Amino acid sequence: MKTKKITLMVITLIMAITFFSVPASADAASKPAKATIKTCKAVGNDTVAVTWKKVKKSAGYELVVNGEDTYDFDAKTLSADVTDLESSTTYTFKVRAYKNSKQKQWLNTNTGEYQSKKPNKVHCGESKTVTTRVYGKYSVAKKATTGIKITREDLGATLINQMIGQNNKSDFSKGGFTWDTERKTIGWTYYNGLMIQSFINAGELGYADEFYNDNINEDGSIKGYRDGELDAVAPSRGLFYLLDSENADKYMKAIQFTFTKLEAQNEVPDCGGNVNHKQKADGTPTANWLAYPVALDGLYMSLPFLMECGNAIEAGKISLYYADGTEVMADELYDIVFSRIAWMYENLKEGDLLMHGYNPESGKTNGQCWSRGEGWYCMCVADVIEMMPVSEYASNLTIILEDVLAGLINYQDESGLWYNVPNYGAELEGNRLEVSGTAMFAYAMLKGYNGGYLTDSIFAESAIKALDGIADIATVEDGNISIGSIYKASSVAAQPDGYCTQPFVANEAKGIGPVIMALLEA
């Protein structure tokens, strides 16, 4: 009898344990696993980027900032940019996953409220099924400190000092500047020339002289010059600002050297005198430029240089010669410059925007607007107008520039910036607000407005808005400024997503140079 009693007690105990533990165990199993934050990093003075690991079988995630603000995301989203934060402030982030759980509830006719426990028959009304969330545990909290905010007024001078300070080199011809994300092993590249031009505009002629002295041989030949590229012409423009230096003789020879190289670029038939952007030794376009040998980039690379040549000839500072020994006349260069710019406007403009490249065989553009491509064009026209002594040409170019810039304003984002592919905006995957094109537009607007040939104040207002937008995304860390969202590089693409394949980088020359130039005009 005693044995039976003990057995009955054991069975009762097991049943009790089972009764109370199963629901608890089932409830625990229904919860998602604990979430994990992968990265948590400030990407501006008002933004922190957070990423987290995927939690299996979760329905979504809840991100909590400083224990107060909550953001919900679906199961496919594993990252978020938390914006509108205070600058120079530390924030705490944690995330948890959740599952959706369906639960039956009954109306309590006595209280008028639904409850999960069924009321007694007297007060039990209709039932309904509701979806509630079952949360997993919060991740370990992560902290990030937003950057120090820098004003537009302070940005230009600070950038100049920083870039020169970071790049005091014993031999400028070796390349390897901090602003060079393409990591070319030579100093003579268009983007290095762009940076040097920004320093020249800022009055840093001594630094420019060091750069050119190291890159040019005594006979005027240029170290590392890449034959067949309009890009290689661009750095030679800065030489005209140093014709009073002790190295003037070899600089004048380098100008002739560059002019001869530019003369060797083959003209593309029926394209207003425009030439191959890049070509092989036999004069045919290189593979990347075969379909669209004429591109907007080439104008800034070559035409300001030709204008400097023409004005220096007119001033009696230099003499230049074609390959056949004939002396170059300034008027010939002015005709070439105007013809090429005007033809591009007439044939590459579609709607409000300029398309990036042109195919002479089909007579069509690539149908894509790239912000930096159009930016090169705008900077070129703005500079040429200032240098153009032929009043008719200057007047017509002003009409062109005004029309192009007015069209661009229609695509300016509320932030002040333009998208990398302006006419697609955020709907194009990988398309982002981009600094280099934005800065180029701002420069052209301010250059024209300050020069008196763009009279509508809307251009100055748009440019200042753009520069304020760039300042807003600039961050300061350990005393150094970082400006991101600069698209690395591109040739002419046939589809819009072709301009979204390269990374966006920080403090890259093609962005920082125009930013400095535009700020000097602000």
Side-chain angles (χ1 to χ4, degrees), residues 152 201 382-383 385-386 398 401 405 441-464 467 516-522:
R152 167 175 52 83
N201 290 5
D383 284 356
I385 292 172
E386 184 183 53
T398 297
L401 182 62
L405 292 176
F441 301 151
Y443 170 81
M445 290 176 181
L446 290 171
K447 186 82 169 178
Y449 189 75
N450 293 338
Y453 49 90
L454 293 179
T455 57
D456 194 329
S457 62
I458 192 174
F459 295 114
E461 293 163 4
S462 176
I464 295 301
L467 293 177
I516 292 173
M517 291 180 181
L519 288 167
L520 291 171
E521 296 287 337

Side-chain angles (χ1 to χ4, degrees), residues 153-173:
E153 291 78 6
D154 294 333
L155 187 56
T158 309
L159 274 176
I160 293 167
N161 292 333
Q162 176 179 320
M163 291 298 151
I164 290 179
Q166 290 176 347
N167 292 283
N168 280 324
K169 301 172 71 63
S170 59
D171 185 352
F172 284 84
S173 66

Side-chain angles (χ1 to χ4, degrees), residues 297-479:
D297 317 26
L299 297 192
Y300 184 82
M301 302 302 160
S302 58
L303 300 192
F305 170 77
L306 287 182
M307 285 301 304
E308 299 282 8
C309 288
N311 288 349
I313 290 170
E314 280 288 279
K317 291 184 177 181
I318 64 170
S319 295
L320 288 177
Y321 299 89
Y322 294 110
D324 64 4
T326 306
E327 189 170 0
V328 178
M329 298 291 106
D331 288 347
E332 297 169 343
L333 300 183
Y334 301 147
D335 292 344
I336 289 172
V337 169
F338 175 76
S339 174
R340 293 181 184 180
I341 292 175
W343 187 91
M344 287 284 206
Y345 172 73
E346 292 166 2
N347 291 274
L348 275 72
K349 190 167 186 288
E350 296 179 9
D352 285 332
L353 301 171
L354 291 169
M355 302 300 107
H356 186 198
Y358 182 84
N359 185 327
E361 292 187 7
S362 66
K364 296 180 180 180
T365 71
N366 70 324
Q368 311 302 327
C369 176
W370 179 39
S371 64
R372 189 155 72 234
E374 186 155 358
W376 290 123
Y377 181 89
C378 292
M379 287 181 72
C380 170
V381 180
D383 284 356
V384 165
I385 292 172
E386 184 183 53
M387 293 186 285
M388 178 61 75
V390 183
S391 59
E392 181 183 355
Y393 288 168
S395 177
N396 288 334
L397 290 174
T398 297
I399 294 171
I400 289 174
L401 182 62
E402 186 172 21
D403 182 54
V404 170
L405 292 176
L408 280 165
I409 289 176
N410 295 328
Y411 294 90
Q412 188 173 21
D413 185 71
E414 191 59 37
S415 65
L417 279 66
W418 278 264
Y419 276 89
N420 194 43
V421 187
N423 50 329
Y424 282 86
E427 68 186 51
L428 175 62
E429 185 177 357
N431 199 20
R432 286 171 50 180
L433 294 168
E434 204 274 336
V435 164
S436 69
T438 295
M440 290 175 173
F441 301 151
Y443 170 81
M445 290 176 181
L446 290 171
K447 186 82 169 178
Y449 189 75
N450 293 338
Y453 49 90
L454 293 179
T455 57
D456 194 329
S457 62
I458 192 174
F459 295 114
E461 293 163 4
S462 176
I464 295 301
K465 180 179 179 181
L467 293 177
D468 283 339
I470 292 172
D472 282 343
I473 66 171
T475 60
V476 182
E477 189 173 343
D478 297 328

